[in-house]
Amino acid sequence: MKKFAERLKEIRLEKNVTRKFLALNLEVSERLISYWENDERECSFEMLIKIADFFDVSIDYLLGRTEY
């Protein structure tokens, strides 16, 4: 799911959010954020919803299905 990894990192940097801040808000480790961004692990559906809500984007956007 490489598109997710790219989109997550892209939107995090666009919004000036650190891995630490995102990890605190999602209640996960910074290392897990790194794994997702480097396409080393996939996140759960529930976590995908949390990430979409945090950044106020659609799940389709995070998965690379839409451009918005």
Side-chain angles (χ1 to χ4, degrees), residues 11-48:
I11 196 165
R12 183 180 62 75
L13 294 174
E14 250 178 42
K15 304 229 181 209
N16 295 315
V17 173
T18 64
R19 283 183 179 161
K20 183 175 188 165
F21 186 77
L22 181 58
L24 286 171
N25 279 275
L26 298 177
E27 299 178 340
V28 298
S29 70
E30 285 180 67
R31 187 71 190 135
L32 187 53
I33 303 293
S34 178
Y35 284 144
W36 293 336
E37 289 184 351
N38 291 304
D39 201 28
E40 296 174 17
R41 298 218 179 132
E42 293 183 2
C43 70
S44 67
F45 181 71
E46 292 81 13
M47 191 56 64
L48 193 57

Side-chain angles (χ1 to χ4, degrees), residues 3 7 10 57-58 60-68:
K3 195 64 163 180
R7 288 277 168 96
E10 177 184 284
V57 296
S58 71
D60 282 342
Y61 174 79
L62 288 173
L63 297 178
R65 297 184 67 202
T66 64
E67 291 301 315
Y68 303 103

Side-chain angles (χ1 to χ4, degrees), residues 51-62:
I51 294 167
D53 287 347
F54 179 83
F55 287 113
D56 195 27
V57 296
S58 71
I59 291 172
D60 282 342
Y61 174 79
L62 288 173

